Amino acid sequence: MLLLVQQVLQKSNQKGMRNSLTDAIDQLQLLVRMVRSYANGEYRGIASSSFVKIVACLIYFVSPIDLIPDFLPIIGIADDLALMGWLFKTLGGEIDKFSLWERQKQVINIG
């Protein structure tokens, strides 16, 4: 699981992808943090079926074998982005819930 996270981060930080797709990359990195938190046992607020969908999409994202080969300029990542868009639309509520959990975790309670 952690190797998958590392591969997603490496691919998302490639020069061409990072420059033109900032919002998508930010969302992708949120997914990576979610998978990492789940794998570490820190976060369990997601249905197992949703977690499987996320992991499957991330595997497709890093796989060199996909519908449109990544080496093709611009259109090579179109299928990856379409799949990520579907994932965020389908699991938006659970992803937002994780994002809120993550922000609350960072808040220091002084009271």
Side-chain angles (χ1 to χ4, degrees):
M1 198 64 58
L2 297 177
L3 178 62
L4 173 63
V5 166
Q6 182 181 21
Q7 290 174 337
V8 170
L9 288 174
Q10 286 174 346
K11 184 173 178 179
S12 67
N13 284 320
Q14 289 175 350
K15 185 179 178 182
M17 189 169 286
R18 188 58 158 149
N19 291 341
S20 61
L21 305 168
T22 303
D23 290 339
I25 298 303
D26 290 343
Q27 291 179 334
L28 187 60
Q29 289 176 342
L30 176 65
L31 282 180
V32 166
R33 292 192 310 271
M34 187 177 195
V35 168
R36 186 181 294 144
S37 293
Y38 187 90
N40 290 337
E42 296 175 356
Y43 183 75
R44 295 292 184 198
I46 184 169
S48 56
S49 61
S50 297
F51 184 74
V52 169
K53 288 176 188 174
I54 291 170
V55 170
C57 286
L58 292 178
I59 289 171
Y60 183 86
F61 180 79
V62 298
S63 174
I65 302 169
D66 54 21
L67 194 59
I68 303 173
D70 291 341
F71 65 82
L72 296 173
I74 301 170
I75 64 166
I77 58 170
D79 59 332
D80 296 335
L81 292 178
L83 187 60
M84 290 300 151
W86 169 83
L87 184 68
F88 274 91
K89 189 175 225 178
T90 304
L91 303 179
E94 291 192 79
I95 295 168
D96 290 343
K97 193 168 95 173
F98 170 76
S99 182
L100 178 63
W101 172 84
E102 190 177 48
R103 284 190 305 255
Q104 288 174 342
K105 186 178 130 183
Q106 294 173 355
V107 173
I108 299 173
N109 189 355
I110 300 178

